[in-house]
């Protein structure tokens, strides 16, 4: 298993996992808005993926999204933690 921050090309793999439900109200639209206004950042959004997985069209195994004020240099809170198996994506 590899854990790493997302790159620009990974964002399309993260957003399908963010559907909003009783456990997490975070949606793909909210993620995009907060990413644009600096509350979420690529370096503070991490994915887990299987080592050697070449198909980047598949969703990652999990995603962790940290929130921070746009003025802060480091995130303040874990805002979302989603596993693909729980979403039926794998």
């Amino acid at each position: 298993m590899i854990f790493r921050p997302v790159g620009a090309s990974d964002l399309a793999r993260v957003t399908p996992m963010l559907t909003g439900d009783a456990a997490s109200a975070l949606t793909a639209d909210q993620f995009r808005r907060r990413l644009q206004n600096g509350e979420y950042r690529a370096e503070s959004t991490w994915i887990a993926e299987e080592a050697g997985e070449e198909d980047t069209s598949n969703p990652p195994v999990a995603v962790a999204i940290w929130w921070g004020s746009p003025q802060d240099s480091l995130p303040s809170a874990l805002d979302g933690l989603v596993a693909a198996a729980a979403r039926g994506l794998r």
Side-chain angles (χ1 to χ4, degrees):
M1 189 74 58
I2 297 172
F3 301 90
R4 64 175 180 81
V6 299
S9 63
D10 297 311
L11 294 175
R13 296 173 62 207
V14 170
T15 53
M17 297 178 70
L18 305 176
T19 59
D21 61 22
S24 174
L26 181 60
T27 65
D29 287 339
Q30 290 170 326
F31 176 76
R32 285 186 205 98
R33 277 194 305 274
R34 291 177 180 169
L35 194 62
Q36 286 179 335
N37 73 21
E39 292 177 75
Y40 295 155
R41 301 178 192 138
E43 65 270 16
S44 300
T45 302
W46 284 66
I47 58 174
E49 56 192 356
E50 298 294 340
E53 187 172 277
E54 300 296 325
D55 186 2
T56 58
S57 63
N58 284 333
V61 174
V63 61
I65 301 166
W66 293 86
W67 176 89
S69 169
Q71 295 79 24
D72 294 337
S73 59
L74 297 173
S76 304
L78 180 62
D79 218 18
L81 183 60
V82 181
R87 297 281 188 214
L89 295 172
R90 283 197 162 255

